[in-house]
Amino acid sequence: EIPAPAHDVWMLLTDWAGMLRWSISAKRGGPVGTLIKCELIGKPDQVPRTRRMILDSGVTIEEELVYQNNETRRIYYRKTDSLGSVGYVATSHVDEIDDLRCRLHIASWFDVDPSEDAATSVARFERIYAGIFEGFSLYFSA
C-alpha cells in the first residue's frame, strides 16, 4: 500500500528512467550495489522503451517496457543482466484504494541460471521488490 493517489504512483512508475528520485538502492545501496545512473533509451512515452541502470558494482541492468496501459495502470517489462536470472518478465499495476491511497503490485517470472542456487535468486528478488515498495512509500511520505 502506497500513501498516494493511484494516478501519482502510476506517473512515477511509468517515468521509466526516473528511478534516482525514489530508489532505495540509489540512497543506501541494495543487494547488487548502489544505483548511480539511470538512462532512458527511447522516448519517455514510447513503447517499447528501455532504462539502463548502472550500479557502482559495475553491473548494468536493462529493463525494456514492452506494454503500457494507462487505463488499467499496467505495464509489462523484461530484463537483461548478469544477476543469475534468465528470461525475466515482470508486470506491475496500480489499484486505487481511495483518493489518497493505492496498492502497487509486482509479479515476475524467470528461470534461475544453472550456475546459481534458486533460493539465493529468490531471496535477492524479494529484497529488490521490498526496496521498490519502500522507495515508493518513502517518496510519497516526504
Side-chain angles (χ1 to χ4, degrees):
E1 190 173 309
I2 309 295
H7 173 77
D8 294 353
V9 171
W10 176 248
M11 296 306 292
L12 188 64
L13 179 67
T14 57
D15 178 7
W16 204 234
M19 290 183 70
L20 291 174
R21 296 184 341 201
W22 58 265
S23 173
I24 293 298
S25 172
K27 294 175 181 24
R28 62 178 186 239
V32 293
T34 300
L35 179 65
I36 57 173
K37 189 173 186 181
C38 188
E39 306 169 331
L40 180 64
I41 301 167
K43 296 180 182 173
D45 295 321
Q46 176 183 338
V47 175
R49 65 182 175 274
T50 298
R51 65 179 166 206
R52 179 178 294 137
M53 298 167 281
I54 300 169
L55 307 178
D56 67 347
S57 62
V59 171
T60 298
I61 302 165
E62 289 191 357
E63 291 181 334
E64 181 184 29
L65 190 147
V66 295
Y67 174 83
Q68 177 176 331
N69 185 316
N70 294 325
E71 287 183 30
T72 61
R73 295 189 196 105
R74 177 179 296 278
I75 60 174
Y76 286 97
Y77 54 99
R78 58 185 170 212
K79 174 176 77 68
T80 59
D81 59 42
S82 59
L83 298 177
S85 64
V86 179
Y88 181 97
V89 177
T91 183
S92 297
H93 68 277
V94 179
D95 285 331
E96 183 174 350
I97 296 172
D98 59 34
D99 289 346
L100 299 174
R101 296 177 303 139
C102 66
R103 185 161 286 117
L104 173 61
H105 304 266
I106 300 172
S108 65
W109 302 264
F110 58 90
D111 294 322
V112 176
D113 188 283
S115 66
E116 182 168 83
D117 173 65
T120 301
S121 184
V122 168
R124 179 176 46 257
F125 282 105
E126 287 175 345
R127 288 191 311 274
I128 290 169
Y129 299 152
I132 292 170
F133 295 129
E134 182 182 359
F136 267 68
S137 292
L138 290 172
Y139 179 86
F140 286 107
S141 296

